[in-house]
Amino acid sequence: MGRALVIGCGGTLGFAWTAAVLAELERQGWDPRTADVLVGTSAGAELVARLGAGMSAADRQDDGGDPPRALPPLPRPGLPGLGLTRAALTGRADLLAGLAGLLPRGGGDPQWLVDLGDRLAEPGSRWVAHPRTWLVAADARTGERLALGRADAPQATLGQAIAASWAIPGWFPPVRIGERAYLDGGAVSPTSADLLIPGVQDGSIDEVLVVAPMSSAGGAPAHGLSRVERLLRRAMTRRVDREVDALRAAGARVARIEPTAADLDAMGANFMDASRLPLVRDTATRSARTLVSQQEVLR
């Protein structure tokens, strides 16, 4: 029997909020590094790479590079994610993925993520020490999600995998691994927790903790520009709901940690706005105490 930790996408501010949750998990007696499987998407992929490399919660606020700016760089010509749109039109992906596929080629430079992966990887290795650290990216041609680091995935360096999972459509360009190009796995699913279902079915996983910065079970009221963010959040929440239900139907015990209303107020409308980091960290440090203590699965 084992426990899996799933960390979802969330951009710059979701990263900060999740780091506070991880620190609180550790403070209340469970070290996230001991999870049998680590699954991360986008900013969550960066965090699970750190966990897989053995970093403690106290280390995770220093990202080793400059976070993306609050607004995307000027895009480049091309629509590299049209495969996501085709997948949505044929029912193989959600509408949100289809819309993401219509965004232009991102103009951001992911080199800081590649460099981070190179620093975190074990000496003489392409990956972290934790053998089941999975970073989720989406095939730009088919929309299929791939857990990089899993035995059946294409061989990639840790830096390539982090950059691919962080390759937000319209923000960063796709990352080529082998013969395929990959985009942010969060364009298809905010958590990809359902990738754990085979492990639940074969008995190797019986507990799953989902930390999801971009979902809010029960809804999240908003005002002004935050209403636009809530439309995105509502669609992502529905996806997480389905994945959690599927895990439970397969027999797993599932705990789910999401931002409180106070956390969402601190984040505001733009989850990439680094100017709000101090407020988000302070608010998340307070709210995480209750969020973590409410999780029966962790006892």
Side-chain angles (χ1 to χ4, degrees), residues 135-160:
L135 280 56
V136 182
D139 188 318
R141 189 174 71 179
T142 66
E144 179 186 4
R145 289 169 295 148
L146 212 62
L148 296 166
R150 200 169 60 183
D152 60 349
Q155 290 294 307
T157 67
L158 184 64
Q160 287 175 321

Side-chain angles (χ1 to χ4, degrees), residues 99-113:
L99 294 174
L102 297 175
L103 292 171
R105 188 179 190 86
D109 183 359
Q111 188 59 45
W112 63 284
L113 293 167

Side-chain angles (χ1 to χ4, degrees), residues 57-201:
D59 296 327
R60 273 168 233 136
Q61 295 284 355
D62 177 12
D63 69 7
D66 296 327
R69 296 180 180 180
L71 295 175
L74 289 174
R76 300 171 185 171
L79 299 173
L82 281 179
L84 303 183
T85 304
R86 286 192 291 270
L89 289 173
T90 55
R92 292 179 290 111
D94 295 344
L95 174 62
L96 199 60
L99 294 174
L102 297 175
L103 292 171
R105 188 179 190 86
D109 183 359
Q111 188 59 45
W112 63 284
L113 293 167
V114 176
D115 293 342
L116 173 66
D118 290 344
R119 292 195 299 273
L120 292 176
E122 286 285 282
S125 170
R126 300 161 64 94
W127 211 250
V128 292
H130 192 302
R132 301 180 76 187
T133 301
W134 300 350
L135 280 56
V136 182
D139 188 318
R141 189 174 71 179
T142 66
E144 179 186 4
R145 289 169 295 148
L146 212 62
L148 296 166
R150 200 169 60 183
D152 60 349
Q155 290 294 307
T157 67
L158 184 64
Q160 287 175 321
I162 297 174
S165 191
W166 244 113
I168 304 169
W171 212 295
F172 292 110
V175 173
R176 184 161 290 278
I177 298 172
E179 297 182 353
R180 297 291 184 91
Y182 294 91
L183 288 164
D184 184 351
V188 178
S189 167
T191 61
S192 287
D194 56 330
L195 295 182
L196 292 165
I197 289 175
V200 175
Q201 293 171 332

Side-chain angles (χ1 to χ4, degrees), residues 103-293:
L103 292 171
R105 188 179 190 86
D109 183 359
Q111 188 59 45
W112 63 284
L113 293 167
V114 176
D115 293 342
L116 173 66
D118 290 344
R119 292 195 299 273
L120 292 176
E122 286 285 282
S125 170
R126 300 161 64 94
W127 211 250
V128 292
H130 192 302
R132 301 180 76 187
T133 301
W134 300 350
L135 280 56
V136 182
D139 188 318
R141 189 174 71 179
T142 66
E144 179 186 4
R145 289 169 295 148
L146 212 62
L148 296 166
R150 200 169 60 183
D152 60 349
Q155 290 294 307
T157 67
L158 184 64
Q160 287 175 321
I162 297 174
S165 191
W166 244 113
I168 304 169
W171 212 295
F172 292 110
V175 173
R176 184 161 290 278
I177 298 172
E179 297 182 353
R180 297 291 184 91
Y182 294 91
L183 288 164
D184 184 351
V188 178
S189 167
T191 61
S192 287
D194 56 330
L195 295 182
L196 292 165
I197 289 175
V200 175
Q201 293 171 332
D202 69 20
S204 61
I205 299 169
D206 63 333
E207 295 180 347
V208 180
L209 172 59
V210 179
V211 182
M214 290 302 295
S215 74
S216 299
H223 305 283
L225 289 176
S226 291
R227 291 178 180 176
V228 177
E229 188 269 354
R230 295 302 189 272
L231 292 174
L232 176 65
R233 182 174 291 274
R234 192 175 303 136
M236 289 189 165
T237 299
R238 288 196 294 267
R239 176 70 192 226
V240 176
D241 288 343
R242 293 197 299 271
E243 293 181 359
V244 167
D245 288 346
L247 282 166
R248 287 175 174 154
R253 297 177 64 210
V254 183
R256 179 172 169 177
I257 299 179
E258 300 166 313
T260 66
D263 290 320
L264 295 180
D265 286 344
M267 291 182 192
N270 182 358
F271 52 83
M272 302 293 276
D273 185 0
S275 70
R276 303 181 75 93
L277 279 170
L279 176 60
V280 169
R281 287 169 175 157
D282 184 60
T283 306
T285 298
R286 293 194 302 271
S287 62
R289 296 172 193 144
T290 300
L291 289 171
V292 171
S293 65

